Amino acid sequence: MEKFLVPREPSPPKSTSVVRRPWKRSLIELNGRLESHYRHESYTLLTHSYSEIGRFPHLYHLNEEPCYTHVSEILHDMHSSSIGGVAGLEFDNQGIYIVSVTRSGCLTVHDFDTLYCHSKVPPGSLEDESKHVVHLSFPPGKEFNVARWNPTNQNEIACTSRKRDKVSIFDISYMSPKPTEELQTRQKLSIIGRKTSSGLSDVAITSNGDSRIFSPDTLGTVHVWDRRVGVSPCIELSTNRYDSLKSIQIHVDNQTIFGAGKEGIIHIWDLRGGTNSTAFQSRKDISYLPLASLHLAPMLQKIASLKAQSEIVPKEIHSLNVNPSAPHQLAFHLDDGWSGVVDIYKSEVTHVHCPPPAWLDGSNNSADLILRKPTWLPTSSVYVAGSMSEKGLHFLDFHPSSRSPCHVDYDEDSQRKEKRDKCNPSNKFVSLSESVTGCTAHPLNSMIVAGTQKSSLLLIAQRHCSSTTETVEGEL
């Protein structure tokens, strides 16, 4: 019977399968979104490719005469002890225009595309002043320290000064040196019966179209205007103590307000309610106390590694910034150059960056008098801050995960042991030609424009890559 059976074919040899690492781009194409880790790595590569590609000194004229800032910079070169420079700058929502104000009295609105195109011309070429959207120059005593775009009306710019108790609103479509509207603080009487006035250190505007404007004064009160009601404050946010506020931020919900200043305390107000009852107060005298006040120094002392290396004392907070890509992260910048992040959900410090003090390098301490204003990149958790002791910018990785090198739980040894074919997150310092006082990020392509102590504007982005046939712009 065996001769009628069909012989069995020998089984083929077993093939050894090769395990391939999944292709990241296929996952992105299938999911239709960028994964958090991939976006984190991409922005690390982006920031490491940044450098200064354009410098625009404020050598401008009005009526064929040098403007006040132009004259001030000439005097500054002769008397280096004077403090000048760019006090504030900001992009509009679409990144078309950028407004800047100088401590010498100029308010300027640039077209960003014009600045970017001018960065490609040979060094030393003069800027075409006729392409400025707005250039106003004010005499000494009438200069501004802060300029903000109105999120719901991009023709309006709100400006404040620490020397005056008014919010001046300019409409760039009118091309007039006079503000279209001025919001006045409520006059108060001192103990001896005299009227007291205080300057306004910052300004913020809600983005939901309800016309509310917030501005803190130098005595610890945040004035709130509703432009639909009038030019006087409708309510006041009080700190219940003398704390000269330096910075104010509005959360994305347009109801939570953050303020901080000289005492190193972050005050939090909720416009939907506070710690005090307002049921029996006059509508003209409503004042909200903070919902919470976070003392930054005790929060930093809880970081064991930081406490072991330095003495932590209360320090002045120069700036607060809500992370647009992770609204629970509130970044702070201190007067000694330290930066960090407070998780507002947990009320604890999660990230911190401590550069060497300025005196260690023998730097000029006059920089301590300048309020430095950092910024977030719009779609990543990268915080950009000017250096206190060097000419340059710190690009700080404040990603919410513990993979961030600035995270308090970051384990450098474990990260070093990981053998992966991807870039390791790290901070980046970009050297510049001048010392930075503040910076702002383009809302769409993440380019940086920085203001300097010499009133110049610096453009920081990827370099223009040239080939033998054409010049290709650095794509972001």
Side-chain angles (χ1 to χ4, degrees), residues 385-401:
S387 173
M388 182 178 176
S389 58
E390 300 178 82
K391 297 178 180 179
L393 286 174
H394 291 286
F395 286 78
L396 306 176
D397 186 344
F398 283 167
H399 193 270
S401 70

PDB file of all heavy atoms in Angstrom, residues 385-401:
ATOM      1  N   ALA A 385      13.797  83.307  26.600  1.00  0.00           N
ATOM      2  CA  ALA A 385      14.082  84.386  27.550  1.00  0.00           C
ATOM      3  C   ALA A 385      15.438  84.994  27.243  1.00  0.00           C
ATOM      4  O   ALA A 385      16.393  84.281  26.914  1.00  0.00           O
ATOM      5  CB  ALA A 385      14.056  83.862  28.987  1.00  0.00           C
ATOM      6  N   GLY A 386      15.526  86.303  27.354  1.00  0.00           N
ATOM      7  CA  GLY A 386      16.792  86.988  27.163  1.00  0.00           C
ATOM      8  C   GLY A 386      17.745  86.741  28.312  1.00  0.00           C
ATOM      9  O   GLY A 386      17.331  86.620  29.473  1.00  0.00           O
ATOM     10  N   SER A 387      19.020  86.663  27.996  1.00  0.00           N
ATOM     11  CA  SER A 387      20.024  86.425  29.021  1.00  0.00           C
ATOM     12  C   SER A 387      20.309  87.704  29.786  1.00  0.00           C
ATOM     13  O   SER A 387      20.330  88.801  29.221  1.00  0.00           O
ATOM     14  CB  SER A 387      21.311  85.894  28.392  1.00  0.00           C
ATOM     15  OG  SER A 387      22.345  85.803  29.340  1.00  0.00           O
ATOM     16  N   MET A 388      20.568  87.572  31.067  1.00  0.00           N
ATOM     17  CA  MET A 388      20.854  88.717  31.908  1.00  0.00           C
ATOM     18  C   MET A 388      22.318  89.135  31.819  1.00  0.00           C
ATOM     19  O   MET A 388      22.646  90.316  31.933  1.00  0.00           O
ATOM     20  CB  MET A 388      20.487  88.390  33.355  1.00  0.00           C
ATOM     21  CG  MET A 388      20.695  89.523  34.334  1.00  0.00           C
ATOM     22  SD  MET A 388      20.164  89.030  35.982  1.00  0.00           S
ATOM     23  CE  MET A 388      20.618  90.489  36.913  1.00  0.00           C
ATOM     24  N   SER A 389      23.209  88.166  31.611  1.00  0.00           N
ATOM     25  CA  SER A 389      24.641  88.445  31.655  1.00  0.00           C
ATOM     26  C   SER A 389      25.318  88.392  30.291  1.00  0.00           C
ATOM     27  O   SER A 389      26.439  88.874  30.143  1.00  0.00           O
ATOM     28  CB  SER A 389      25.339  87.457  32.596  1.00  0.00           C
ATOM     29  OG  SER A 389      25.102  86.118  32.180  1.00  0.00           O
ATOM     30  N   GLU A 390      24.659  87.796  29.291  1.00  0.00           N
ATOM     31  CA  GLU A 390      25.265  87.650  27.979  1.00  0.00           C
ATOM     32  C   GLU A 390      24.344  88.229  26.910  1.00  0.00           C
ATOM     33  O   GLU A 390      23.160  88.467  27.144  1.00  0.00           O
ATOM     34  CB  GLU A 390      25.548  86.173  27.680  1.00  0.00           C
ATOM     35  CG  GLU A 390      26.484  85.504  28.668  1.00  0.00           C
ATOM     36  CD  GLU A 390      26.684  84.040  28.336  1.00  0.00           C
ATOM     37  OE1 GLU A 390      27.516  83.743  27.458  1.00  0.00           O
ATOM     38  OE2 GLU A 390      25.992  83.205  28.942  1.00  0.00           O
ATOM     39  N   LYS A 391      24.908  88.413  25.732  1.00  0.00           N
ATOM     40  CA  LYS A 391      24.122  88.871  24.595  1.00  0.00           C
ATOM     41  C   LYS A 391      23.548  87.644  23.892  1.00  0.00           C
ATOM     42  O   LYS A 391      24.232  86.980  23.112  1.00  0.00           O
ATOM     43  CB  LYS A 391      24.993  89.680  23.633  1.00  0.00           C
ATOM     44  CG  LYS A 391      25.560  90.968  24.219  1.00  0.00           C
ATOM     45  CD  LYS A 391      26.443  91.690  23.220  1.00  0.00           C
ATOM     46  CE  LYS A 391      27.001  92.973  23.828  1.00  0.00           C
ATOM     47  NZ  LYS A 391      27.893  93.684  22.864  1.00  0.00           N
ATOM     48  N   GLY A 392      22.295  87.346  24.180  1.00  0.00           N
ATOM     49  CA  GLY A 392      21.704  86.177  23.557  1.00  0.00           C
ATOM     50  C   GLY A 392      20.371  85.797  24.174  1.00  0.00           C
ATOM     51  O   GLY A 392      19.847  86.461  25.077  1.00  0.00           O
ATOM     52  N   LEU A 393      19.812  84.690  23.657  1.00  0.00           N
ATOM     53  CA  LEU A 393      18.516  84.163  24.087  1.00  0.00           C
ATOM     54  C   LEU A 393      18.674  82.736  24.575  1.00  0.00           C
ATOM     55  O   LEU A 393      19.422  81.944  23.984  1.00  0.00           O
ATOM     56  CB  LEU A 393      17.513  84.190  22.929  1.00  0.00           C
ATOM     57  CG  LEU A 393      16.916  85.531  22.498  1.00  0.00           C
ATOM     58  CD1 LEU A 393      16.078  85.339  21.249  1.00  0.00           C
ATOM     59  CD2 LEU A 393      16.082  86.147  23.611  1.00  0.00           C
ATOM     60  N   HIS A 394      17.963  82.410  25.650  1.00  0.00           N
ATOM     61  CA  HIS A 394      17.855  81.034  26.122  1.00  0.00           C
ATOM     62  C   HIS A 394      16.573  80.428  25.548  1.00  0.00           C
ATOM     63  O   HIS A 394      15.479  80.959  25.756  1.00  0.00           O
ATOM     64  CB  HIS A 394      17.793  80.982  27.649  1.00  0.00           C
ATOM     65  CG  HIS A 394      19.065  81.360  28.331  1.00  0.00           C
ATOM     66  ND1 HIS A 394      20.168  80.532  28.373  1.00  0.00           N
ATOM     67  CD2 HIS A 394      19.419  82.491  29.000  1.00  0.00           C
ATOM     68  CE1 HIS A 394      21.145  81.112  29.047  1.00  0.00           C
ATOM     69  NE2 HIS A 394      20.719  82.315  29.427  1.00  0.00           N
ATOM     70  N   PHE A 395      16.700  79.317  24.815  1.00  0.00           N
ATOM     71  CA  PHE A 395      15.549  78.528  24.369  1.00  0.00           C
ATOM     72  C   PHE A 395      15.418  77.362  25.348  1.00  0.00           C
ATOM     73  O   PHE A 395      16.213  76.420  25.316  1.00  0.00           O
ATOM     74  CB  PHE A 395      15.741  78.031  22.938  1.00  0.00           C
ATOM     75  CG  PHE A 395      15.577  79.091  21.889  1.00  0.00           C
ATOM     76  CD1 PHE A 395      16.586  80.013  21.641  1.00  0.00           C
ATOM     77  CD2 PHE A 395      14.405  79.186  21.147  1.00  0.00           C
ATOM     78  CE1 PHE A 395      16.445  80.992  20.677  1.00  0.00           C
ATOM     79  CE2 PHE A 395      14.248  80.167  20.190  1.00  0.00           C
ATOM     80  CZ  PHE A 395      15.269  81.077  19.952  1.00  0.00           C
ATOM     81  N   LEU A 396      14.422  77.440  26.219  1.00  0.00           N
ATOM     82  CA  LEU A 396      14.281  76.500  27.321  1.00  0.00           C
ATOM     83  C   LEU A 396      13.188  75.486  27.021  1.00  0.00           C
ATOM     84  O   LEU A 396      12.055  75.863  26.686  1.00  0.00           O
ATOM     85  CB  LEU A 396      13.965  77.256  28.618  1.00  0.00           C
ATOM     86  CG  LEU A 396      14.945  78.382  28.978  1.00  0.00           C
ATOM     87  CD1 LEU A 396      14.470  79.113  30.224  1.00  0.00           C
ATOM     88  CD2 LEU A 396      16.342  77.831  29.170  1.00  0.00           C
ATOM     89  N   ASP A 397      13.530  74.221  27.160  1.00  0.00           N
ATOM     90  CA  ASP A 397      12.574  73.141  26.941  1.00  0.00           C
ATOM     91  C   ASP A 397      11.759  72.945  28.211  1.00  0.00           C
ATOM     92  O   ASP A 397      12.230  72.355  29.184  1.00  0.00           O
ATOM     93  CB  ASP A 397      13.333  71.858  26.577  1.00  0.00           C
ATOM     94  CG  ASP A 397      12.405  70.713  26.201  1.00  0.00           C
ATOM     95  OD1 ASP A 397      11.203  70.804  26.511  1.00  0.00           O
ATOM     96  OD2 ASP A 397      12.867  69.734  25.600  1.00  0.00           O
ATOM     97  N   PHE A 398      10.528  73.461  28.204  1.00  0.00           N
ATOM     98  CA  PHE A 398       9.626  73.330  29.343  1.00  0.00           C
ATOM     99  C   PHE A 398       8.478  72.373  29.010  1.00  0.00           C
ATOM    100  O   PHE A 398       7.330  72.594  29.405  1.00  0.00           O
ATOM    101  CB  PHE A 398       9.053  74.697  29.737  1.00  0.00           C
ATOM    102  CG  PHE A 398      10.020  75.569  30.509  1.00  0.00           C
ATOM    103  CD1 PHE A 398       9.749  76.921  30.702  1.00  0.00           C
ATOM    104  CD2 PHE A 398      11.180  75.053  31.046  1.00  0.00           C
ATOM    105  CE1 PHE A 398      10.626  77.724  31.416  1.00  0.00           C
ATOM    106  CE2 PHE A 398      12.071  75.841  31.758  1.00  0.00           C
ATOM    107  CZ  PHE A 398      11.787  77.186  31.948  1.00  0.00           C
ATOM    108  N   HIS A 399       8.787  71.304  28.275  1.00  0.00           N
ATOM    109  CA  HIS A 399       7.750  70.320  27.942  1.00  0.00           C
ATOM    110  C   HIS A 399       7.173  69.734  29.226  1.00  0.00           C
ATOM    111  O   HIS A 399       7.897  69.490  30.197  1.00  0.00           O
ATOM    112  CB  HIS A 399       8.349  69.210  27.075  1.00  0.00           C
ATOM    113  CG  HIS A 399       7.342  68.330  26.428  1.00  0.00           C
ATOM    114  ND1 HIS A 399       6.857  67.190  27.023  1.00  0.00           N
ATOM    115  CD2 HIS A 399       6.698  68.430  25.241  1.00  0.00           C
ATOM    116  CE1 HIS A 399       5.972  66.613  26.227  1.00  0.00           C
ATOM    117  NE2 HIS A 399       5.848  67.343  25.148  1.00  0.00           N
ATOM    118  N   PRO A 400       5.841  69.508  29.258  1.00  0.00           N
ATOM    119  CA  PRO A 400       5.226  69.047  30.515  1.00  0.00           C
ATOM    120  C   PRO A 400       5.770  67.719  31.037  1.00  0.00           C
ATOM    121  O   PRO A 400       5.707  67.474  32.243  1.00  0.00           O
ATOM    122  CB  PRO A 400       3.736  68.918  30.143  1.00  0.00           C
ATOM    123  CG  PRO A 400       3.547  69.865  28.999  1.00  0.00           C
ATOM    124  CD  PRO A 400       4.829  69.836  28.229  1.00  0.00           C
ATOM    125  N   SER A 401       6.298  66.868  30.190  1.00  0.00           N
ATOM    126  CA  SER A 401       6.766  65.562  30.646  1.00  0.00           C
ATOM    127  C   SER A 401       8.113  65.682  31.353  1.00  0.00           C
ATOM    128  O   SER A 401       8.823  66.683  31.233  1.00  0.00           O
ATOM    129  CB  SER A 401       6.884  64.595  29.461  1.00  0.00           C
ATOM    130  OG  SER A 401       7.971  64.974  28.621  1.00  0.00           O
TER     131      SER A 401
END
